[in-house]
Amino acid sequence: MVETNLPILYLREVILLPYNEIRLEFTNASDLKILSISEKVYDNHILLINLADPLEESPSFKELPRIGILGKIKTKIELSNGITRVVISGIDRVEILSYVETNDITSAFVAPVKEYDYDEVEASALKRILYRKLNEYISISPYMSNSVIGRITDVKDLNKLADIIISELPLDYQNTIKYIVITNPMYRIKTIIEDLTKEIETVKLENKIEDNLKVKLEEEQKEYMLKEKIRLIREELGETDSKEEDIRKLREKMDLLALPKNIVKRLNEEIERYSFTSPSSPETTTIRTYIDWLMTLPWNVTTTDNRDVKKIEEVLDASHFGLNNAKKRIIEYIAVKKKTSSASSPIICLIGPPGVGKTSLASSIATALGREFVKISVGGINDEAEILGHRRTYIGAAPGKIIRQMKKARTNNPVFLIDEVDKLTKDYKGDPASALLEVLDREQNSRFCDNYIEEEFDLSKVLFVLTANNISTIPEPLLDRLEIIELSSYTIYEKINIAKYHLIPKLLEDYKVKNIKFTDLAIEKIITCYTKEAGARELYRQIDAIIRKVIISSNRKNSITIEASDIEGYLGMTKYVSNTNDENNKTGIVNGLAYTPYGGTLLKVTCTTYPGKGIITLTGTLGEVIKESIYIALSYIKTNSVLFGIDYELFKEADFHFHIEEASSPKDGPSAGVAIVTSILSLLKNKIISNKISMTGEITLRGKILPVGGLKEKLIAASTNGIDTVYLPLECSRELHSFPSEVKDRLNIIFVEDYEDIYRNIFKNS
Ligand code: ADP
C-alpha cells in the first residue's frame, strides 16, 4: 500500500486488531457521514484510531497515536430505529504520517508500517514458549476457550498469530491498546508471553482463594450437620437440652431471681429473640451470652453492713500494724458516710509506695464492713471501652471491667478497689479518666450504663477505694473528687513489727505450722540485707521462702528458732549492703536526700572543678531540672564570696562538673539546693563534709531555705543509711510530730532558715 488519505473513525473502549472483526452500531451523524464517505470514496476502507482516553471528545492531533488500524467495512445495515450496524474487519497496522481536517471530517495520510526481519530460530523458540503458556493458561482459566488453539494451528505468520491471540486475551482496554503500537511481531509475542505469565499467576491465586472458600463452606456445612445430628441423638436419648428446654429453664430462673422490672422486660425480649434465632446462626451464642449477663448481674442483691464502728476498728487493727492515721481517717469516712449518704461525698484514694498495704487495707475494709471485695487495675489503660465495655455489634464484645467485677462480686455494694489511677493514659481511643469519673460520680453512677449491657446499673452503693503511687500524675478532674489518704514508707522498726505480728503468723497459718520462730535480729537482717523497698512485699516473699525451706528440711515436730546467723543459709549471699553510705574522703561530696515513689534515698551530690572558662557540666539522671538549682547555688556563692572567704576571680578561670546520683523525680531538683551549695563550698574551701551529715531544702538567690516534701521518707532513708545529723528547712518543723519516733530518736535534726546557719555549723565550727 502506498501513501493514502483515509477517513478516521475514533474507537473508544473497543479495539479492532488485524485478522479480527468487530461489530459496531452508530447513531451519531458525524460517524454516519464518515461511514458513507468511506463507502463512496475509499472502497469501504477506513482508518480506526483508538483514543487513549476514551472520554476525550475532541482530541488534538498531537495527542493522537502514530499507528492506527486499516479496516474495511464488510457489511452495513440500516436498522429501523435509526441505528446503523456495521461489521468491520481489521486489515493491517498503518503508520500515520499526518492528520488533516477538512469540512469537519478528520482524515489522515497513512503508509504501511515498516517490515521487520527476524531470526527464524528465535521465532520458533518464542512460539514454543507461547504455545506452552497458552496451553497452561487454557487448562486453568475459565476466561479462554481452547478454540483459540484451533484458530492458530496452521498460522505461520507471526503477525497474524500474535493478533489472533491478543484478541482472545482477557485484557482490559488500556492493556490491549499497547498492542496496536507494537509493530515488531517478535516484540509483540514477547509481550503476550509476559501478559500470559501474569494472567496464569492471577488465575492460580483466584483458584486458590476459591478452593479455600469452598473448603470453609464445606466445613461449616459439615459442622452444622454434625451438630444437628448430635442434637437429634440427644433428643432421642431423652437428654433434651434443646433450645426449648433451655428457654424453659431460663424463664424459671428468671422468676426466682426477682429482677427489676426493666430487666425482666429486656430479658423477655431477648429470650424471645433467642427462641427465633436459628441454632446455626452465630447470633444465637451472642444472644445467649447476653441473657446470661443480664441474669447474673447483682441488680438488687445487697449485703447488710456491719455498723459497729468499734468492730470495724478492731478488724483493721488486727490485719494491719500501725497506719494509725490512715485507719482513723477510714473509720471517720465510714462513720460520716453512714450518717449522711451525701451524693457529693468524696472517694477514698490511698496513696503510697508499693507494698505499704494499700490493697490489703482496702480488702480489710471489706471484711470489717462485711462486704464483698473486688479489684481492677487501670494502669496503662488507654481505651475507655475497657471501663465502659464494647457495644454488642462489635466482634468479641464484652462488658467493661466495672461490670465484670460487679458480676464477680455477686452483690451491688462491694468494696471496689481501683488500682493505679495514676497510670491512666489518654489517646485517640478516648479518655479513660473521664470514663472513670462517670463510674465514681455519685450523681451519675446510680444510672451507670455499660455499652454492652445497655441497661442502667446502680453503682451508688459500691464503696470505691482508689490507689496510686504518685499523686502528681492522677488526672486533675479525678483528683478533685478524691479524699487522699497517704500511706508512707515503713521504718525498720515498723517492718520488724509487721513481720512479727502479721506476716509470720499469717504464713504459719497458711502452711498450718506453729513451731517456727524468728528472732528480731533475724528479721532485721532479712530487712536490711535482702530487701530494698518502701513496703513489705519483698519482706513477705523472703520470709515465705525461709518458712518453706524450714518445712521441707526439718522434722515438723521440733520447734525451730531462726537466728540472724541462719539467714544466709536460707536466702544465700547478702543482696544489699546495709549501709551504702560510703565514707566521704574527698571534698565536694555531700549527702542530699531524695524522695522516690519507692521510698526515700540518699542523694549524693558531687562537684569537681578544674581550670577553664566557667563552663558547667552536668551528669546524673536529673538533667535540665537540676540546672536551675546549680545556677542559683553558684550565683548565691558568688554574691557572698566575701562572707564565705572565697576569691571571686576563681570563678572566671574554672569549669565545674556536677554529678547527682540516685535522683528520680523532678522534685528532687530544687530540694537538692542546699546540698549543691554545700558541695561547692566544700570544694572551694577544701573541707571534707562528713558522710554522717545530710541535708534537704530548696535555696533562693538570697540564701533563704524553702520547705520541701517527702520528709518522712527522707528521714527514714537517712536513719537507715547511717546518717546522724540532718539539716531541714525551718518551716518543716511543723511536721515534726508526724515523724516516727524511732527515726527522730536516732537523728540530730537541725532546722535552718538561712544557708548561713548551715555554713556556721559546718564550716565555721571546725
Ligand atoms: P500495696 O497495695 O500498697 O502495694 P499490699 O497491700 O499488697 O501493698 O501489701 C503487701 C504486703 O504487705 C501484704 O502481704 C500486706 O498484708 C503486707 N502489709 C503491708 N503493710 C502492712 C501492715 N501495716 N501490717 C500488716 N501487713 C502489711
Side-chain angles (χ1 to χ4, degrees):
M1 191 177 77
V2 287
E3 188 178 313
T4 328
N5 180 258
L6 284 173
I8 292 176
L9 192 63
Y10 291 123
L11 292 186
R12 299 175 163 86
E13 291 175 349
V14 286
I15 291 168
L16 174 66
L17 289 172
Y19 314 103
N20 289 284
E21 279 186 359
I22 192 170
R23 198 173 75 165
L24 297 167
E25 289 182 347
F26 297 95
T27 49
N28 181 313
S30 66
D31 288 338
L32 294 175
K33 196 170 165 190
I34 290 167
L35 291 178
S36 101
I37 293 175
S38 152
E39 193 182 355
K40 287 181 189 145
V41 188
Y42 296 94
D43 185 25
N44 281 322
H45 284 98
I46 196 157
L47 178 63
L48 303 165
I49 296 292
N50 272 92
L51 297 177
D53 178 4
L55 298 176
E56 183 62 80
E57 280 297 320
S58 48
S60 71
F61 290 163
K62 259 197 260 158
E63 295 165 62
L64 292 173
R66 306 315 299 176
I67 304 286
I69 303 288
L70 169 66
K72 185 164 186 180
I73 303 169
K74 271 180 72 182
T75 54
K76 182 173 158 207
I77 307 164
E78 275 161 27
L79 302 175
S80 55
N81 49 4
I83 296 174
T84 302
R85 181 181 293 158
V86 291
V87 175
I88 307 175
S89 59
I91 297 172
D92 209 349
R93 286 178 178 71
V94 284
E95 188 182 346
I96 290 140
L97 305 172
S98 61
Y99 287 97
V100 273
E101 185 160 329
T102 35
N103 302 333
D104 287 346
I105 303 290
T106 313
S107 61
F109 282 98
V110 298
V113 290
K114 179 185 157 195
E115 290 211 3
Y116 291 86
D117 293 332
Y118 49 81
D119 181 65
E120 279 300 331
V121 182
E122 193 190 349
S124 65
L126 268 182
K127 267 197 221 167
R128 263 193 227 164
I129 301 174
L130 180 67
Y131 284 131
R132 213 177 42 240
K133 290 277 171 197
L134 206 57
N135 278 317
E136 184 181 356
Y137 184 60
I138 291 170
S139 72
I140 60 167
S141 159
Y143 306 118
M144 192 187 272
S145 88
N146 56 6
S147 62
V148 195
I149 305 287
R151 279 185 69 195
I152 58 172
T153 322
D154 295 325
V155 179
K156 297 265 176 318
D157 176 36
L158 278 193
N159 265 310
K160 188 172 177 185
L161 180 69
D163 287 339
I164 294 176
I165 296 174
I166 296 162
S167 63
E168 298 282 344
L169 285 175
L171 298 177
D172 59 19
Y173 178 74
Q174 292 298 346
N175 263 322
T176 317
I177 51 173
K178 68 174 184 256
Y179 283 107
I180 296 177
V181 293
I182 306 177
T183 49
N184 182 341
M186 290 283 274
Y187 183 50
R188 218 178 308 147
I189 297 230
K190 280 185 194 158
T191 315
I192 297 173
I193 293 173
E194 274 169 23
D195 273 344
L196 268 176
T197 314
K198 268 190 240 159
E199 276 297 308
I200 289 170
E201 287 311 308
T202 318
V203 171
K204 276 187 183 164
L205 199 66
E206 272 175 30
N207 291 349
K208 196 172 157 196
I209 294 171
E210 273 188 5
D211 284 352
N212 285 348
L213 271 176
K214 216 163 109 195
V215 170
K216 199 163 168 250
L217 280 175
E218 275 168 8
E219 274 173 4
E220 274 174 15
Q221 186 84 4
K222 199 169 138 198
E223 193 182 321
Y224 172 67
M225 298 283 282
L226 283 175
K227 276 193 181 154
E228 268 303 282
K229 271 190 194 161
I230 293 174
R231 195 180 65 80
L232 290 173
I233 293 171
R234 290 177 89 187
E235 255 181 36
E236 280 297 308
L237 292 172
E239 295 172 12
T240 43
D241 203 11
S242 64
K243 204 150 122 198
E244 297 79 61
E245 180 64 10
D246 189 26
I247 290 171
R248 194 186 57 73
K249 281 187 188 156
L250 281 175
R251 290 200 193 281
E252 244 176 50
K253 193 171 161 198
M254 203 169 95
D255 291 342
L256 286 176
L257 284 173
L259 299 164
K261 267 194 203 138
N262 59 327
I263 303 301
V264 171
K265 185 167 169 275
R266 185 70 192 250
L267 270 170
N268 279 328
E269 286 164 11
E270 294 296 326
I271 294 176
E272 190 78 358
R273 269 183 70 205
Y274 174 53
S275 71
F276 285 125
T277 326
S278 139
S280 62
S281 150
E283 239 200 309
T284 319
T285 343
T286 320
I287 304 173
R288 186 63 183 79
T289 318
Y290 181 60
I291 293 174
D292 260 347
W293 274 101
L294 291 187
M295 293 275 233
T296 41
L297 278 178
W299 299 99
N300 45 18
V301 187
T302 314
T303 51
T304 329
D305 276 354
N306 168 17
R307 296 186 159 262
D308 186 342
V309 174
K310 258 209 132 30
K311 282 249 163 64
I312 297 176
E313 224 173 319
E314 274 169 28
V315 176
L316 294 188
D317 280 340
S319 63
H320 284 78
F321 175 84
L323 301 177
N324 294 338
N325 187 33
K327 287 178 189 163
K328 200 170 127 219
R329 297 262 309 270
I330 290 169
I331 288 171
E332 274 168 16
Y333 178 88
I334 293 172
V336 171
K337 215 167 159 60
K338 277 193 191 320
K339 284 205 179 113
T340 60
S341 80
S342 134
S344 60
S345 68
I347 299 128
I348 299 183
C349 179
L350 303 174
I351 296 208
V356 291
K358 299 181 295 297
T359 315
S360 49
L361 198 59
S363 151
S364 293
I365 298 175
T367 319
L369 287 171
R371 294 193 186 201
E372 290 296 327
F373 176 69
V374 285
K375 65 172 190 171
I376 61 168
S377 169
V378 290
I381 286 191
N382 60 355
D383 183 356
E384 58 183 34
E386 285 205 42
I387 293 172
L388 302 178
H390 284 290
R391 301 211 167 277
R392 275 189 296 139
T393 44
Y394 185 91
I395 297 169
K401 282 183 177 234
I402 303 289
I403 285 294
R404 274 184 288 178
Q405 290 305 312
M406 291 311 293
K407 178 179 169 188
K408 200 168 160 202
R410 296 197 309 272
T411 59
N412 62 4
N413 64 337
V415 172
F416 198 130
L417 179 85
I418 304 183
D419 202 9
E420 302 197 311
V421 288
D422 53 340
K423 297 187 184 69
L424 285 164
T425 40
K426 183 176 175 177
D427 67 13
Y428 69 97
K429 283 186 176 162
D431 179 5
S434 66
L436 206 54
L437 264 181
E438 242 174 76
V439 171
L440 299 172
D441 185 3
R442 286 285 295 275
E443 284 175 10
Q444 300 179 51
N445 74 3
S446 58
R447 312 173 66 110
F448 173 70
C449 197
D450 181 279
N451 290 326
Y452 176 90
I453 296 295
E454 287 176 3
E455 295 293 331
E456 289 171 359
F457 189 93
D458 182 2
L459 289 176
S460 64
K461 296 192 182 83
V462 176
L463 178 65
F464 285 106
V465 177
L466 272 46
T467 70
N469 293 138
N470 188 350
I471 192 168
S472 65
T473 51
I474 299 180
E476 196 72 36
L478 197 59
L479 194 58
D480 280 352
R481 307 294 322 269
L482 304 182
E483 166 147 354
I484 302 290
I485 300 181
E486 275 187 67
L487 275 70
S488 44
S489 317
Y490 292 124
T491 61
I492 292 191
Y493 163 79
E494 284 168 328
K495 285 183 186 175
I496 294 176
N497 282 297
I498 290 172
K500 210 160 136 181
Y501 298 111
H502 295 272
L503 308 183
I504 299 172
K506 183 174 174 296
L507 281 163
L508 294 182
E509 199 184 314
D510 288 353
Y511 288 117
K512 300 196 172 46
V513 284
K514 285 199 182 108
N515 45 7
I516 302 175
K517 289 194 176 62
F518 287 74
T519 64
D520 284 4
L521 281 177
I523 300 175
E524 186 170 341
K525 179 146 187 196
I526 304 171
I527 295 166
T528 53
C529 300
Y530 293 87
T531 69
K532 194 172 190 191
E533 58 176 350
R537 241 184 240 172
E538 193 53 32
L539 178 60
Y540 182 87
R541 274 187 223 122
Q542 298 295 354
I543 295 175
D544 182 28
I546 297 179
I547 295 179
R548 266 186 288 129
K549 283 187 183 157
V550 173
I551 294 173
I552 294 167
S553 63
S554 70
N555 177 345
R556 279 186 170 223
K557 286 194 183 104
N558 295 346
S559 82
I560 286 183
T561 302
I562 316 276
E563 310 273 354
S565 55
D566 303 329
I567 301 296
E568 224 160 293
Y570 290 110
L571 298 180
M573 283 228 314
T574 313
K575 281 196 195 147
Y576 306 102
V577 182
S578 60
N579 187 352
T580 51
N581 181 12
D582 309 336
E583 201 173 331
N584 298 343
N585 52 11
K586 288 215 164 60
T587 58
I589 306 176
V590 174
N591 284 327
L593 289 168
Y595 169 62
T596 77
Y598 309 103
T601 173
L602 281 194
L603 178 95
K604 248 187 209 314
V605 177
T606 312
C607 164
T608 60
T609 181
Y610 33 82
K613 293 182 209 133
I615 294 170
I616 294 167
T617 311
L618 283 180
T619 48
T621 43
L622 270 188
E624 285 300 305
V625 193
I626 205 90
K627 237 185 207 169
E628 271 187 26
S629 304
I630 289 174
Y631 288 139
I632 293 174
L634 276 170
S635 299
Y636 168 67
I637 295 173
K638 284 182 194 169
T639 325
N640 294 285
S641 56
V642 179
L643 174 78
F644 297 139
I646 293 167
D647 179 6
Y648 187 83
E649 290 302 308
L650 196 146
F651 292 104
K652 294 184 185 157
E653 293 150 13
D655 284 353
F656 286 92
H657 181 157
F658 292 88
H659 181 75
I660 292 158
E661 281 171 28
E662 289 283 356
S664 75
S665 116
K667 279 191 195 149
D668 293 334
S671 76
V674 285
I676 296 171
V677 172
T678 313
S679 79
I680 305 172
L681 287 177
S682 150
L683 191 72
L684 300 183
K685 292 185 75 68
N686 199 19
K687 173 165 173 57
I688 293 173
I689 309 293
S690 158
N691 67 332
K692 305 263 183 251
I693 294 178
S694 179
M695 57 192 70
T696 181
E698 182 176 346
I699 193 145
T700 68
L701 272 176
R702 293 179 175 274
K704 282 263 162 291
I705 299 180
L706 304 179
V708 291
L711 284 181
K712 184 183 166 195
E713 339 287 316
K714 287 178 175 176
L715 290 180
I716 293 172
S719 76
T720 50
N721 282 290
I723 302 287
D724 59 21
T725 306
V726 181
Y727 289 92
L728 296 184
L730 181 65
E731 263 193 58
C732 295
S733 59
R734 276 186 271 159
E735 289 176 49
L736 190 63
H737 68 276
S738 67
F739 301 157
S741 55
E742 67 274 19
V743 169
K744 282 191 283 193
D745 294 347
R746 280 200 204 176
L747 297 170
N748 171 24
I749 300 175
I750 303 173
F751 289 103
V752 280
E753 196 176 8
D754 192 290
Y755 188 78
E756 281 181 43
D757 300 337
I758 299 183
Y759 182 72
R760 261 193 305 277
N761 273 353
I762 297 182
F763 294 93
K764 282 276 178 73
N765 285 353
S766 52

